[in-house]
């Protein structure tokens, strides 16, 4: 089958090999042109592909044809005839544009792709979801780039990804034109019968493509270019400054040994970032490190840190001016990035040297991602002179990705598949409005997609949305709803935003009168209570007691209420509402007892929270025979309130134990009303005026949300995640809390048991010596355990009310040992056990509830080793064949296999299938693509890495990445909520000033303002509930990180030979195990409260 030297076929095969190995855009295009000339092939589309396949029969060519033939044979493509008469123009040769072009070519369409550049120079690295890895393998990615996703690698540089996709696109007949820029559309000229088609305005105008007529335009030109007719909307968070940097990767052994950082975030690993700041002055929110062609780092930096380090010369309000080149010290920026990279890798990367970008400058960039934009719609149709044009968006111009989530290329590929499906439906003659309606129905799912909520069987993915999105409703949007997306003639497109009329429509009813009527009905029949207004009717405190007693009689002992002591009565009810109902105070007890006219607005705001929490339909009230619990929207606030109370009580217990008169102090504190909080109008921190909408409270103090910061580090604090020190009256973050019980330890110490638990002896310094983690020094220090409710077994003094209130009933039930009597205690508002258990058993995560013996067995489980076979070192990312075994970190010890549901088994099976394909490819390729030339491992070492081990290793990396992505999504949403809070506060301040104005405004005008204020309060309460949900998720992330850290320590001890363990090692091992089980119990508490909230929301 070989061709003699000098024959045309031999020259063509040589050209094909050069094409496969080409590493620059221009080189790829040149080699492909030479290949076609050698074979005498012309034209485009699948016809060109068939000609190449018939002419090239070398081993490497046949292996590639096998993969592409299998891909092209999918039923969705109808053997390349589904769009045979369709002509497409794709703008942009980024990964998403190229991926869309490939799908359109497989459908049989003529595809022309424009790119304004002629080089691929972006070294930045993209995180790949499992389905993107599988998808690229199916396209033959490893034939072009042999290191693609080798071993546990799950990322690739943008440049390499573009090269792979460009080569595939060329082979499938896509016409690629570089140095051509799309500038706009030329409507068809009026011809008889409506003939003629849409054309593009191009630069240079002399391009022969100026005469190319097409009926489909796919824009992948990036976020700054969106074709006319599409409207954009943005979400704004707090100022966010990103820094990317690339260093030269020399692939030395020292570099291979440095572990990557899939992502570490301040939100759950505060200690690492505090250490970074203390040592270098660099203040970051997160950092990621990947190894590919370069050492790639990306991080989010804080503005004040950049100013102090001299990176930003002057602080400016305008973001564009702030980050303009003339306001940035380039040398200081390089130093900043290099110092952060060195610290995060424990200074183990030798001789860091910047890679160069396309301008031959150090590849360091600083960018703003405060505002994230997305298109309001994914497609539209334009018609002019009888000619229709279908326009679709993919990539950043559809949805601008939030880089820390690593969703850009994955969602970009999904959008490319969706666009191809839309074109297929268009070519099949489906009515345009139906095509648009279906596309918009699919687009609704894109921003919420993740590896968890897409179909697990990734090997079955195709352009058909049903194969990717579970239970998708393709008719969610009706054709009648997308008529505005069908533009006829030369339509003037209005790019202005629609005015926000939510306020006026939301307050059309009389919320003030409705609230008053509800309060009257809820307090009717109580002795001494007559509600006629929101001032004098509430001064005695009896009305508030009656209101709470109506819904939660267990919280109020009406017989013990003293009408002559209104301040104490109000304080008692404020505490009960906050600790048992999750309702934050708005006024102090003294203000409520006085109830002057200025406090009326505060009281109305406060009572509206009860209204939202307990308002139910008449049917629900009749069916419910037990005391009502707050509706689901307040469940998270309630849980955080109790969690914070437990932390404070534990902290007080630590302080009081060091004082002989502790009980006397506590008794005196209980008898006296708190001296703080006499006025809710003054901020506790800055003493400035606090209006109702901007008012927050904690520990009886009232303040601006923006003033709620750690006394030591200035970090923003949030309710449910702070520490309060009564001695100095200051608030702290968990890292800087004075003597926080069980909250933080030095890096070398294991986390302590929960508050009040037995003290844990610190392992001797040599105890951990045999099991030093390969990532020691990397940003994965042990995390502080969550200050969860104390176990019921903690001894407490008789009559100590603080001890009795430490743990609520639900948490007692979960923390109690099986067979105990905790389940006999049913508190008000607790769910029926049967319903809760049924809901919990239906969720895969409830598998975490085990007996202590089962937990012990699970903790000692090591699926990756056997007695007969010692655990081999894993393959390092991408360069697993380049280093000796002793140089490689034991990555699969990172396994924390605690929970797995049935769905993940399907994904695991698909990954194993994909890994099997990879093994086959590597066996076929042998020394191809210079891989073995760089190898220092023989094939015998490769046999030590079976597919299932590589699969589990990858799953561990994915779990770490998932935790990081979740943290970043939470952080982003918290910042967006903060911005929204600011907007609501500004509106609320204006309304409050109008309502407090003594001028003779008409009564109906004041009523309208009051209704508007109540609407804003409702919006604020809704945001607070969402914020509390997010903070619970933060606590869960902290526990996950802590569990992972403890699991690594425990595995180190368990992997030691028993004969080599010292008594100190055995003690340390048992202590870590106890801590690990405690963390699992705490995670159970969070899972339970989430399930409780879900069930309450279903009932509501």
């Amino acid at each position: 089958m070989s061709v003699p030297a000098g024959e045309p076929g031999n020259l063509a095969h040589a050209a094909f090999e050069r094409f496969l190995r080409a590493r620059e855009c221009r080189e790829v295009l040149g080699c492909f042109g030479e290949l076609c000339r050698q074979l005498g092939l012309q034209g485009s589309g699948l016809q060109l592909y068939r000609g190449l396949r018939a002419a090239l029969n070398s081993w490497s060519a046949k292996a590639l044809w096998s993969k592409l033939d299998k891909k092209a044979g999918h039923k969705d493509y109808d053997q390349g005839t589904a769009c045979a008469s369709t002509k497409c123009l794709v703008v942009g040769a980024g990964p998403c544009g190229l991926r869309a072009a490939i799908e359109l070519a497989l459908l049989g369409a003529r595809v022309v792709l424009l790119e304004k550049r002629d080089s691929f120079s972006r070294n930045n690295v993209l995180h790949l979801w499992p389905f993107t890895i599988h998808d690229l393998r199916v396209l033959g990615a490893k034939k072009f780039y042999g290191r693609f996703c080798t071993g546990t690698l799950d990322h690739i540089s943008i440049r390499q990804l573009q090269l792979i996709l460009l080569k595939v696109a060329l082979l499938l007949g896509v016409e690629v034109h570089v140095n051509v820029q799309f500038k706009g559309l030329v409507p068809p000229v009026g011809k008889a019968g409506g003939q003629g088609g849409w054309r593009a305005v191009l630069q240079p105008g002399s391009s022969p493509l100026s005469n190319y007529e097409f009926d489909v335009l796919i824009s992948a030109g990036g976020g700054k270019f969106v074709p006319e007719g599409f409207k954009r909307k943005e979400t704004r968070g707090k100022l966010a400054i990103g820094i990317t940097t690339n260093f030269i990767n020399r692939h030395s052994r020292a570099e291979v040994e440095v572990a990557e950082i899939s992502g570490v975030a301040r939100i759950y690993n505060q200690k690492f970032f505090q250490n970074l700041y203390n040592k270098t002055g660099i203040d970051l929110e997160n950092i990621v490190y990947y190894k590919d062609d370069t050492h790639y780092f990306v991080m989010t930096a804080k503005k004040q840190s950049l100013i102090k380090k001299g990176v930003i010369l002057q602080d400016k309000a305008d973001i564009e001016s702030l980050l303009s080149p003339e306001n940035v010290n380039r040398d200081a920026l390089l130093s900043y990035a290099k110092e952060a990279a060195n610290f995060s890798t424990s200074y183990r990367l030798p001789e860091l040297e910047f890679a160069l970008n396309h301008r031959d400058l150090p590849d360091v960039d600083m960018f703003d991602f405060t505002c994230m934009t997305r298109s309001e719609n994914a497609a539209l149709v334009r018609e002019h002179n009888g000619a229709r044009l279908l326009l679709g968006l993919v990539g950043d111009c559809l949805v601008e990705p939030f880089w820390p989530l690593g969703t850009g290329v994955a969602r970009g590929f999904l959008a490319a598949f969706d666009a191809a499906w839309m074109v297929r439906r268009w070519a099949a003659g489906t009515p345009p409005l139906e095509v648009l309606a279906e596309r918009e129905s699919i687009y609704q799912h894109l921003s919420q997609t993740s590896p968890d909520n897409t179909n697990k069987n990734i090997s079955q993915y195709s352009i058909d949305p049903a194969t990717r999105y579970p239970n998708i409703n393709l008719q969610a949007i009706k054709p009648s709803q997308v008529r505005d997306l069908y533009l006829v003639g030369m339509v003037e497109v209005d790019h202005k935003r629609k005015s926000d009329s939510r306020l006026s429509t939301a307050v059309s009813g009389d919320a003030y009168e409705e609230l008053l009527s509800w309060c009257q009905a809820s307090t009717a029949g109580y002795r001494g209570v007559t509600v006629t207004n929101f001032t004098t009717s509430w001064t005695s405190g009896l009305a508030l007691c009656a209101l709470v007693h109506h819904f939660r009689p267990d919280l109020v002992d009406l017989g013990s209420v003293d009408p002559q002591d209104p301040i104490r009565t109000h304080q008692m009810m404020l505490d009960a509402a906050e600790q048992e109902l999750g309702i934050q105070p708005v006024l102090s007890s003294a203000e409520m007892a006085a109830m002057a006219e200025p406090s009326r607005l505060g009281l109305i705001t406060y009572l509206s929270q009860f209204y939202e929490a307990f308002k139910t339909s008449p049917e629900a009230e009749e069916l419910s025979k037990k005391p009502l619990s707050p509706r689901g929207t307040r469940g998270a606030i309630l849980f955080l309130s109790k969690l914070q109370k437990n932390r404070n009580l534990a902290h007080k217990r630590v302080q009081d134990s060091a004082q002989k008169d502790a009980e006397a102090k506590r008794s005196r504190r209980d008898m006296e009303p708190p001296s703080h909080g006499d006025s809710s109008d003054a901020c506790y921190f800055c003493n400035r005026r606090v209006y109702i909408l901007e008012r927050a409270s904690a520990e009886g103090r009232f303040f601006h949300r923006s003033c709620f910061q750690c006394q030591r580090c200035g970090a923003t604090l949030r309710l449910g995640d702070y520490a309060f020190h009564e001695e100095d009256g200051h608030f702290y973050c968990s890292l800087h809390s004075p003597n926080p019980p069980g909250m933080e330890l030095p890096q070398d110490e294991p986390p302590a048991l929960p508050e009040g638990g037995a003290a844990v002896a610190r392992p001797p310094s040599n105890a951990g010596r045999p099991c030093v983690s390969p990532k020691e020094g990397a940003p994965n220090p042990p995390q502080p355990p969550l200050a969860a409710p104390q176990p019921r077994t903690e001894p407490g003094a008789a009559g100590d009310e603080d001890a009795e209130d430490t743990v609520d009933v639900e948490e007692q039930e979960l923390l109690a040992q099986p067979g105990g009597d905790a389940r006999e205690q049913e508190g008000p508002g607790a769910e029926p056990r049967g319903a809760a258990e049924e809901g919990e058993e239906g969720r895969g995560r409830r598998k975490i509830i085990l007996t202590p013996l089962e937990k012990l067995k699970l903790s000692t489980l090591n699926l990756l080793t056997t007695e007969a076979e010692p655990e081999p070192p894993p393959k390092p990312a991408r360069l697993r064949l380049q280093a000796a075994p002793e140089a490689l970190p034991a990555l699969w010890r990172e396994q924390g296999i605690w929970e797995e549901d049935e769905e993940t088994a399907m994904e695991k099976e698909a990954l194993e299938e994909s890994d099997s394909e990879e093994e086959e490819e590597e066996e076929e390729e042998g020394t191809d693509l210079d891989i073995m030339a760089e190898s220092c491992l023989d094939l015998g070492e490769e046999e030590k890495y079976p597919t299932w081990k590589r699969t589990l290793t990858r799953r561990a990396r994915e779990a770490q990445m998932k935790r990081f992505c979740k943290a970043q999504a939470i952080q982003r949403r918290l910042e967006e909520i903060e911005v929204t809070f600011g907007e609501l506060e500004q509106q609320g301040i204006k309304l409050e000033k109008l309502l407090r104005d003594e001028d003779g405004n008409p009564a109906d005008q004041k009523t309208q303002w009051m209704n508007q204020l109540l609407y804003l309060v409702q919006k604020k309460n809704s945001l607070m509930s969402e914020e509390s949900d997010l903070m619970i998720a933060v606590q869960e992330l902290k526990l996950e990180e802590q569990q992972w850290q403890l699991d690594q320590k425990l595995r180190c001890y368990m992997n030691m030979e028993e004969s080599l363990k010292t008594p100190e090692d055995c003690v340390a091992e048992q202590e870590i195990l106890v801590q690990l089980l405690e963390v699992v119990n705490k995670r159970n508490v969070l899972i339970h409260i989430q399930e409780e909230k879900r069930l309450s929301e279903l009932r509501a």
Side-chain angles (χ1 to χ4, degrees), residues 651-719:
H651 184 59
K652 290 177 184 178
R653 196 170 294 114
V654 170
Q655 292 177 321
D656 291 343
S657 64
Q659 305 175 17
K660 295 182 180 180
D661 58 342
E663 292 299 327
K665 285 189 175 184
R666 181 181 293 117
S667 176
R668 187 164 58 252
R669 189 165 57 245
D670 289 341
M671 292 298 296
E672 299 175 359
S675 59
H676 57 266
D678 289 339
S679 174
S680 61
D681 287 339
C683 175
Y684 176 72
F685 299 102
C686 69
N687 290 322
R688 295 198 304 268
R689 175 70 179 270
V690 186
Y691 290 91
I692 290 175
L693 258 294
E694 59 181 355
R695 190 174 299 172
S697 67
E699 307 301 322
R701 278 76 171 172
F702 298 91
F703 43 80
H704 301 96
R705 288 176 57 88
S706 59
C707 293
F708 195 32
Q709 298 177 349
C710 174
Q711 176 68 17
R712 284 190 57 186
C713 68
T716 300
L717 301 178
R718 289 185 171 86
L719 300 179

Side-chain angles (χ1 to χ4, degrees), residues 388 421-422 424-436 438:
R388 291 172 175 169
W421 180 258
M422 174 184 67
R424 185 183 190 277
R425 297 272 289 160
W426 174 267
T430 306
L433 290 181
E434 291 186 17
V435 172
L436 292 173
E438 183 177 274

